[in-house]
mmCIF file of all heavy atoms in Angstrom:
data_model
loop_
_atom_site.group_PDB
_atom_site.id
_atom_site.type_symbol
_atom_site.label_atom_id
_atom_site.label_comp_id
_atom_site.label_asym_id
_atom_site.label_seq_id
_atom_site.Cartn_x
_atom_site.Cartn_y
_atom_site.Cartn_z
ATOM 1 N N ALA A 29 -14.380 -1.002 5.710
ATOM 2 C CA ALA A 29 -15.671 -1.216 6.357
ATOM 3 C C ALA A 29 -16.126 0.056 7.057
ATOM 4 O O ALA A 29 -15.335 0.758 7.674
ATOM 5 C CB ALA A 29 -15.564 -2.357 7.369
ATOM 6 N N GLY A 30 -17.395 0.335 6.929
ATOM 7 C CA GLY A 30 -17.959 1.502 7.586
ATOM 8 C C GLY A 30 -17.781 2.788 6.819
ATOM 9 O O GLY A 30 -18.231 3.834 7.265
ATOM 10 N N VAL A 31 -17.135 2.755 5.651
ATOM 11 C CA VAL A 31 -16.932 3.964 4.868
ATOM 12 C C VAL A 31 -18.151 4.169 3.985
ATOM 13 O O VAL A 31 -18.477 3.340 3.154
ATOM 14 C CB VAL A 31 -15.651 3.870 4.006
ATOM 15 C CG1 VAL A 31 -15.551 5.059 3.078
ATOM 16 C CG2 VAL A 31 -14.440 3.783 4.886
ATOM 17 N N LYS A 32 -18.844 5.265 4.205
ATOM 18 C CA LYS A 32 -19.979 5.634 3.368
ATOM 19 C C LYS A 32 -19.746 7.053 2.894
ATOM 20 O O LYS A 32 -19.227 7.877 3.619
ATOM 21 C CB LYS A 32 -21.271 5.539 4.159
ATOM 22 C CG LYS A 32 -21.557 4.136 4.622
ATOM 23 C CD LYS A 32 -23.028 3.954 4.826
ATOM 24 C CE LYS A 32 -23.261 2.617 5.470
ATOM 25 N NZ LYS A 32 -23.774 1.640 4.651
ATOM 26 N N GLY A 33 -20.124 7.320 1.683
ATOM 27 C CA GLY A 33 -19.912 8.655 1.149
ATOM 28 C C GLY A 33 -18.560 8.744 0.483
ATOM 29 O O GLY A 33 -18.313 8.100 -0.524
ATOM 30 N N SER A 34 -17.653 9.508 1.066
ATOM 31 C CA SER A 34 -16.367 9.708 0.409
ATOM 32 C C SER A 34 -15.249 8.958 1.132
ATOM 33 O O SER A 34 -15.300 8.725 2.330
ATOM 34 C CB SER A 34 -16.037 11.195 0.329
ATOM 35 O OG SER A 34 -15.922 11.745 1.600
ATOM 36 N N LEU A 35 -14.240 8.602 0.360
ATOM 37 C CA LEU A 35 -13.052 7.936 0.871
ATOM 38 C C LEU A 35 -12.017 9.009 1.167
ATOM 39 O O LEU A 35 -11.630 9.771 0.284
ATOM 40 C CB LEU A 35 -12.526 6.951 -0.180
ATOM 41 C CG LEU A 35 -11.311 6.127 0.187
ATOM 42 C CD1 LEU A 35 -11.707 5.065 1.202
ATOM 43 C CD2 LEU A 35 -10.729 5.473 -1.057
ATOM 44 N N GLN A 36 -11.570 9.089 2.401
ATOM 45 C CA GLN A 36 -10.586 10.088 2.821
ATOM 46 C C GLN A 36 -9.192 9.530 2.552
ATOM 47 O O GLN A 36 -8.853 8.457 3.047
ATOM 48 C CB GLN A 36 -10.751 10.412 4.303
ATOM 49 C CG GLN A 36 -12.178 10.727 4.714
ATOM 50 C CD GLN A 36 -12.744 11.943 4.018
ATOM 51 O OE1 GLN A 36 -12.105 12.982 3.969
ATOM 52 N NE2 GLN A 36 -13.928 11.806 3.466
ATOM 53 N N ILE A 37 -8.390 10.250 1.765
ATOM 54 C CA ILE A 37 -7.095 9.748 1.308
ATOM 55 C C ILE A 37 -5.978 10.653 1.810
ATOM 56 O O ILE A 37 -6.044 11.874 1.666
ATOM 57 C CB ILE A 37 -7.042 9.687 -0.226
ATOM 58 C CG1 ILE A 37 -8.150 8.769 -0.747
ATOM 59 C CG2 ILE A 37 -5.681 9.223 -0.710
ATOM 60 C CD1 ILE A 37 -8.335 8.843 -2.240
ATOM 61 N N ARG A 38 -4.945 10.047 2.375
ATOM 62 C CA ARG A 38 -3.725 10.758 2.755
ATOM 63 C C ARG A 38 -2.649 10.417 1.744
ATOM 64 O O ARG A 38 -2.339 9.248 1.524
ATOM 65 C CB ARG A 38 -3.283 10.338 4.165
ATOM 66 C CG ARG A 38 -1.917 10.851 4.573
ATOM 67 C CD ARG A 38 -1.912 12.349 4.744
ATOM 68 N NE ARG A 38 -0.606 12.780 5.238
ATOM 69 C CZ ARG A 38 -0.014 13.890 4.842
ATOM 70 N NH1 ARG A 38 -0.605 14.686 3.992
ATOM 71 N NH2 ARG A 38 1.155 14.226 5.318
ATOM 72 N N HIS A 39 -2.076 11.425 1.118
ATOM 73 C CA HIS A 39 -1.006 11.205 0.144
ATOM 74 C C HIS A 39 0.337 11.193 0.867
ATOM 75 O O HIS A 39 0.601 12.039 1.719
ATOM 76 C CB HIS A 39 -1.028 12.314 -0.906
ATOM 77 C CG HIS A 39 0.157 12.281 -1.799
ATOM 78 N ND1 HIS A 39 1.106 13.265 -1.791
ATOM 79 C CD2 HIS A 39 0.587 11.369 -2.695
ATOM 80 C CE1 HIS A 39 2.057 12.967 -2.666
ATOM 81 N NE2 HIS A 39 1.765 11.820 -3.218
ATOM 82 N N VAL A 40 1.194 10.218 0.516
ATOM 83 C CA VAL A 40 2.532 10.113 1.088
ATOM 84 C C VAL A 40 3.536 10.032 -0.057
ATOM 85 O O VAL A 40 3.458 9.125 -0.881
ATOM 86 C CB VAL A 40 2.673 8.861 1.988
ATOM 87 C CG1 VAL A 40 4.077 8.776 2.550
ATOM 88 C CG2 VAL A 40 1.650 8.872 3.099
ATOM 89 N N ASP A 41 4.461 10.976 -0.099
ATOM 90 C CA ASP A 41 5.551 10.941 -1.074
ATOM 91 C C ASP A 41 6.729 10.260 -0.396
ATOM 92 O O ASP A 41 7.386 10.831 0.468
ATOM 93 C CB ASP A 41 5.914 12.359 -1.502
ATOM 94 C CG ASP A 41 7.040 12.400 -2.515
ATOM 95 O OD1 ASP A 41 7.645 11.345 -2.798
ATOM 96 O OD2 ASP A 41 7.321 13.488 -3.032
ATOM 97 N N ALA A 42 6.994 9.013 -0.791
ATOM 98 C CA ALA A 42 8.044 8.235 -0.132
ATOM 99 C C ALA A 42 9.410 8.437 -0.770
ATOM 100 O O ALA A 42 10.386 7.845 -0.333
ATOM 101 C CB ALA A 42 7.679 6.751 -0.154
ATOM 102 N N GLY A 43 9.503 9.268 -1.794
ATOM 103 C CA GLY A 43 10.781 9.517 -2.448
ATOM 104 C C GLY A 43 10.664 9.600 -3.950
ATOM 105 O O GLY A 43 11.508 9.077 -4.670
ATOM 106 N N SER A 44 9.639 10.255 -4.445
ATOM 107 C CA SER A 44 9.408 10.289 -5.896
ATOM 108 C C SER A 44 10.096 11.483 -6.542
ATOM 109 O O SER A 44 10.652 12.346 -5.866
ATOM 110 C CB SER A 44 7.911 10.339 -6.182
ATOM 111 O OG SER A 44 7.405 11.630 -5.910
ATOM 112 N N CYS A 45 9.996 11.538 -7.857
ATOM 113 C CA CYS A 45 10.545 12.648 -8.624
ATOM 114 C C CYS A 45 9.529 13.779 -8.761
ATOM 115 O O CYS A 45 9.800 14.777 -9.425
ATOM 116 C CB CYS A 45 10.977 12.170 -10.009
ATOM 117 S SG CYS A 45 9.576 11.676 -11.037
ATOM 118 N N ASN A 46 8.362 13.633 -8.178
ATOM 119 C CA ASN A 46 7.239 14.569 -8.196
ATOM 120 C C ASN A 46 6.443 14.541 -9.491
ATOM 121 O O ASN A 46 5.530 15.337 -9.665
ATOM 122 C CB ASN A 46 7.659 16.007 -7.868
ATOM 123 C CG ASN A 46 8.024 16.168 -6.425
ATOM 124 O OD1 ASN A 46 7.591 15.393 -5.584
ATOM 125 N ND2 ASN A 46 8.841 17.157 -6.120
ATOM 126 N N GLY A 47 6.755 13.622 -10.403
ATOM 127 C CA GLY A 47 5.932 13.467 -11.599
ATOM 128 C C GLY A 47 4.538 12.980 -11.238
ATOM 129 O O GLY A 47 3.537 13.467 -11.767
ATOM 130 N N CYS A 48 4.459 12.021 -10.327
ATOM 131 C CA CYS A 48 3.149 11.495 -9.903
ATOM 132 C C CYS A 48 2.346 12.550 -9.154
ATOM 133 O O CYS A 48 1.122 12.604 -9.282
ATOM 134 C CB CYS A 48 3.333 10.262 -9.023
ATOM 135 S SG CYS A 48 4.001 8.844 -9.901
ATOM 136 N N GLU A 49 3.019 13.391 -8.382
ATOM 137 C CA GLU A 49 2.318 14.422 -7.630
ATOM 138 C C GLU A 49 1.651 15.425 -8.563
ATOM 139 O O GLU A 49 0.552 15.898 -8.296
ATOM 140 C CB GLU A 49 3.280 15.145 -6.677
ATOM 141 C CG GLU A 49 3.589 14.387 -5.424
ATOM 142 C CD GLU A 49 4.476 13.174 -5.643
ATOM 143 O OE1 GLU A 49 5.114 13.062 -6.689
ATOM 144 O OE2 GLU A 49 4.504 12.316 -4.739
ATOM 145 N N VAL A 50 2.335 15.757 -9.660
ATOM 146 C CA VAL A 50 1.754 16.675 -10.638
ATOM 147 C C VAL A 50 0.487 16.065 -11.228
ATOM 148 O O VAL A 50 -0.542 16.739 -11.375
ATOM 149 C CB VAL A 50 2.778 17.006 -11.748
ATOM 150 C CG1 VAL A 50 2.134 17.755 -12.892
ATOM 151 C CG2 VAL A 50 3.937 17.792 -11.176
ATOM 152 N N GLU A 51 0.531 14.776 -11.539
ATOM 153 C CA GLU A 51 -0.640 14.111 -12.114
ATOM 154 C C GLU A 51 -1.756 13.932 -11.077
ATOM 155 O O GLU A 51 -2.938 13.993 -11.415
ATOM 156 C CB GLU A 51 -0.242 12.763 -12.706
ATOM 157 C CG GLU A 51 0.821 12.863 -13.805
ATOM 158 C CD GLU A 51 0.396 13.740 -14.985
ATOM 159 O OE1 GLU A 51 -0.788 13.731 -15.359
ATOM 160 O OE2 GLU A 51 1.265 14.443 -15.522
ATOM 161 N N ILE A 52 -1.393 13.713 -9.810
ATOM 162 C CA ILE A 52 -2.400 13.633 -8.751
ATOM 163 C C ILE A 52 -3.102 14.984 -8.606
ATOM 164 O O ILE A 52 -4.325 15.056 -8.450
ATOM 165 C CB ILE A 52 -1.768 13.178 -7.424
ATOM 166 C CG1 ILE A 52 -1.370 11.701 -7.508
ATOM 167 C CG2 ILE A 52 -2.721 13.410 -6.250
ATOM 168 C CD1 ILE A 52 -0.527 11.223 -6.347
ATOM 169 N N ALA A 53 -2.326 16.064 -8.673
ATOM 170 C CA ALA A 53 -2.924 17.401 -8.613
ATOM 171 C C ALA A 53 -3.891 17.597 -9.777
ATOM 172 O O ALA A 53 -4.966 18.180 -9.610
ATOM 173 C CB ALA A 53 -1.838 18.471 -8.629
ATOM 174 N N GLY A 54 -3.527 17.087 -10.949
ATOM 175 C CA GLY A 54 -4.432 17.172 -12.098
ATOM 176 C C GLY A 54 -5.693 16.350 -11.887
ATOM 177 O O GLY A 54 -6.790 16.757 -12.268
ATOM 178 N N ALA A 55 -5.549 15.179 -11.263
ATOM 179 C CA ALA A 55 -6.718 14.316 -11.029
ATOM 180 C C ALA A 55 -7.685 14.948 -10.036
ATOM 181 O O ALA A 55 -8.892 14.754 -10.141
ATOM 182 C CB ALA A 55 -6.260 12.945 -10.518
ATOM 183 N N PHE A 56 -7.163 15.702 -9.063
ATOM 184 C CA PHE A 56 -8.029 16.349 -8.082
ATOM 185 C C PHE A 56 -8.420 17.755 -8.507
ATOM 186 O O PHE A 56 -9.165 18.425 -7.794
ATOM 187 C CB PHE A 56 -7.349 16.379 -6.711
ATOM 188 C CG PHE A 56 -7.466 15.082 -5.971
ATOM 189 C CD1 PHE A 56 -6.495 14.099 -6.121
ATOM 190 C CD2 PHE A 56 -8.548 14.819 -5.157
ATOM 191 C CE1 PHE A 56 -6.599 12.891 -5.455
ATOM 192 C CE2 PHE A 56 -8.661 13.616 -4.488
ATOM 193 C CZ PHE A 56 -7.695 12.650 -4.640
ATOM 194 N N GLY A 57 -7.935 18.214 -9.663
ATOM 195 C CA GLY A 57 -8.267 19.536 -10.172
ATOM 196 C C GLY A 57 -9.638 19.570 -10.835
ATOM 197 O O GLY A 57 -10.362 18.572 -10.884
ATOM 198 N N PRO A 58 -9.999 20.720 -11.392
ATOM 199 C CA PRO A 58 -11.341 20.881 -11.939
ATOM 200 C C PRO A 58 -11.616 20.100 -13.225
ATOM 201 O O PRO A 58 -12.771 19.853 -13.549
ATOM 202 C CB PRO A 58 -11.445 22.381 -12.192
ATOM 203 C CG PRO A 58 -10.037 22.852 -12.325
ATOM 204 C CD PRO A 58 -9.217 21.950 -11.454
ATOM 205 N N VAL A 59 -10.592 19.705 -13.969
ATOM 206 C CA VAL A 59 -10.835 18.997 -15.221
ATOM 207 C C VAL A 59 -11.251 17.554 -14.970
ATOM 208 O O VAL A 59 -12.275 17.082 -15.480
ATOM 209 C CB VAL A 59 -9.589 19.055 -16.140
ATOM 210 C CG1 VAL A 59 -9.799 18.217 -17.384
ATOM 211 C CG2 VAL A 59 -9.277 20.494 -16.511
ATOM 212 N N TYR A 60 -10.492 16.829 -14.169
ATOM 213 C CA TYR A 60 -10.799 15.418 -13.897
ATOM 214 C C TYR A 60 -11.686 15.244 -12.664
ATOM 215 O O TYR A 60 -12.464 14.311 -12.598
ATOM 216 C CB TYR A 60 -9.510 14.611 -13.749
ATOM 217 C CG TYR A 60 -8.760 14.509 -15.045
ATOM 218 C CD1 TYR A 60 -7.782 15.441 -15.381
ATOM 219 C CD2 TYR A 60 -9.046 13.503 -15.951
ATOM 220 C CE1 TYR A 60 -7.102 15.358 -16.578
ATOM 221 C CE2 TYR A 60 -8.372 13.419 -17.148
ATOM 222 C CZ TYR A 60 -7.405 14.354 -17.460
ATOM 223 O OH TYR A 60 -6.733 14.268 -18.648
ATOM 224 N N ASP A 61 -11.545 16.110 -11.685
ATOM 225 C CA ASP A 61 -12.414 16.198 -10.505
ATOM 226 C C ASP A 61 -12.758 14.845 -9.904
ATOM 227 O O ASP A 61 -13.899 14.405 -9.899
ATOM 228 C CB ASP A 61 -13.689 16.957 -10.866
ATOM 229 C CG ASP A 61 -14.504 17.314 -9.636
ATOM 230 O OD1 ASP A 61 -13.931 17.341 -8.527
ATOM 231 O OD2 ASP A 61 -15.708 17.562 -9.772
ATOM 232 N N VAL A 62 -11.751 14.162 -9.382
ATOM 233 C CA VAL A 62 -11.964 12.847 -8.781
ATOM 234 C C VAL A 62 -12.832 12.934 -7.523
ATOM 235 O O VAL A 62 -13.422 11.935 -7.106
ATOM 236 C CB VAL A 62 -10.614 12.153 -8.510
ATOM 237 C CG1 VAL A 62 -9.913 12.749 -7.314
ATOM 238 C CG2 VAL A 62 -10.794 10.673 -8.313
ATOM 239 N N GLU A 63 -12.980 14.128 -6.955
ATOM 240 C CA GLU A 63 -13.822 14.264 -5.764
ATOM 241 C C GLU A 63 -15.288 13.953 -6.056
ATOM 242 O O GLU A 63 -16.022 13.561 -5.158
ATOM 243 C CB GLU A 63 -13.675 15.658 -5.154
ATOM 244 C CG GLU A 63 -12.345 15.832 -4.466
ATOM 245 C CD GLU A 63 -12.278 17.073 -3.601
ATOM 246 O OE1 GLU A 63 -13.335 17.655 -3.294
ATOM 247 O OE2 GLU A 63 -11.162 17.450 -3.235
ATOM 248 N N GLN A 64 -15.706 14.110 -7.305
ATOM 249 C CA GLN A 64 -17.091 13.776 -7.636
ATOM 250 C C GLN A 64 -17.368 12.281 -7.519
ATOM 251 O O GLN A 64 -18.516 11.862 -7.467
ATOM 252 C CB GLN A 64 -17.443 14.264 -9.045
ATOM 253 C CG GLN A 64 -16.733 13.506 -10.151
ATOM 254 C CD GLN A 64 -17.083 14.026 -11.528
ATOM 255 O OE1 GLN A 64 -18.220 14.394 -11.776
ATOM 256 N NE2 GLN A 64 -16.096 14.072 -12.409
ATOM 257 N N TYR A 65 -16.309 11.478 -7.459
ATOM 258 C CA TYR A 65 -16.454 10.029 -7.301
ATOM 259 C C TYR A 65 -16.214 9.580 -5.861
ATOM 260 O O TYR A 65 -16.088 8.392 -5.596
ATOM 261 C CB TYR A 65 -15.501 9.291 -8.241
ATOM 262 C CG TYR A 65 -15.702 9.675 -9.679
ATOM 263 C CD1 TYR A 65 -14.699 10.329 -10.376
ATOM 264 C CD2 TYR A 65 -16.897 9.410 -10.336
ATOM 265 C CE1 TYR A 65 -14.878 10.701 -11.689
ATOM 266 C CE2 TYR A 65 -17.085 9.780 -11.642
ATOM 267 C CZ TYR A 65 -16.070 10.429 -12.314
ATOM 268 O OH TYR A 65 -16.253 10.799 -13.621
ATOM 269 N N GLY A 66 -16.114 10.515 -4.953
ATOM 270 C CA GLY A 66 -16.016 10.163 -3.546
ATOM 271 C C GLY A 66 -14.611 10.032 -3.003
ATOM 272 O O GLY A 66 -14.426 9.454 -1.935
ATOM 273 N N ALA A 67 -13.599 10.558 -3.671
ATOM 274 C CA ALA A 67 -12.220 10.522 -3.168
ATOM 275 C C ALA A 67 -11.839 11.930 -2.733
ATOM 276 O O ALA A 67 -12.033 12.885 -3.481
ATOM 277 C CB ALA A 67 -11.266 10.022 -4.244
ATOM 278 N N ARG A 68 -11.304 12.055 -1.528
ATOM 279 C CA ARG A 68 -10.967 13.368 -0.990
ATOM 280 C C ARG A 68 -9.640 13.290 -0.254
ATOM 281 O O ARG A 68 -9.416 12.375 0.528
ATOM 282 C CB ARG A 68 -12.077 13.797 -0.033
ATOM 283 C CG ARG A 68 -11.915 15.172 0.500
ATOM 284 C CD ARG A 68 -13.150 15.577 1.308
ATOM 285 N NE ARG A 68 -12.741 16.655 2.179
ATOM 286 C CZ ARG A 68 -12.681 16.563 3.485
ATOM 287 N NH1 ARG A 68 -13.030 15.461 4.092
ATOM 288 N NH2 ARG A 68 -12.280 17.578 4.200
ATOM 289 N N LEU A 69 -8.758 14.251 -0.500
ATOM 290 C CA LEU A 69 -7.468 14.301 0.193
ATOM 291 C C LEU A 69 -7.631 14.936 1.570
ATOM 292 O O LEU A 69 -8.376 15.912 1.723
ATOM 293 C CB LEU A 69 -6.450 15.106 -0.617
ATOM 294 C CG LEU A 69 -5.953 14.466 -1.909
ATOM 295 C CD1 LEU A 69 -5.058 15.443 -2.659
ATOM 296 C CD2 LEU A 69 -5.221 13.183 -1.631
ATOM 297 N N VAL A 70 -6.948 14.367 2.557
ATOM 298 C CA VAL A 70 -6.951 14.923 3.911
ATOM 299 C C VAL A 70 -5.513 15.142 4.360
ATOM 300 O O VAL A 70 -4.575 14.570 3.805
ATOM 301 C CB VAL A 70 -7.702 14.003 4.907
ATOM 302 C CG1 VAL A 70 -9.167 13.928 4.575
ATOM 303 C CG2 VAL A 70 -7.089 12.626 4.961
ATOM 304 N N ALA A 71 -5.352 15.963 5.386
ATOM 305 C CA ALA A 71 -4.018 16.359 5.824
ATOM 306 C C ALA A 71 -3.401 15.433 6.857
ATOM 307 O O ALA A 71 -2.199 15.482 7.076
ATOM 308 C CB ALA A 71 -4.066 17.780 6.386
ATOM 309 N N SER A 72 -4.201 14.597 7.498
ATOM 310 C CA SER A 72 -3.675 13.773 8.575
ATOM 311 C C SER A 72 -3.982 12.298 8.319
ATOM 312 O O SER A 72 -5.092 11.958 7.908
ATOM 313 C CB SER A 72 -4.303 14.188 9.909
ATOM 314 O OG SER A 72 -3.972 13.270 10.921
ATOM 315 N N PRO A 73 -3.021 11.417 8.583
ATOM 316 C CA PRO A 73 -3.327 9.989 8.429
ATOM 317 C C PRO A 73 -4.372 9.508 9.433
ATOM 318 O O PRO A 73 -5.050 8.523 9.206
ATOM 319 C CB PRO A 73 -1.974 9.303 8.652
ATOM 320 C CG PRO A 73 -1.142 10.285 9.374
ATOM 321 C CD PRO A 73 -1.632 11.642 8.974
#
Side-chain angles (χ1 to χ4, degrees):
V31 173
K32 297 205 188 254
S34 62
L35 182 73
Q36 311 298 312
I37 301 170
R38 171 68 176 142
H39 171 247
V40 179
D41 180 353
S44 75
C45 67
N46 289 337
C48 293
E49 282 71 17
V50 170
E51 301 301 324
I52 289 170
F56 279 90
V59 175
Y60 292 92
D61 191 21
V62 75
E63 287 192 15
Q64 69 181 322
Y65 303 115
R68 185 173 159 247
L69 290 174
V70 294
S72 171

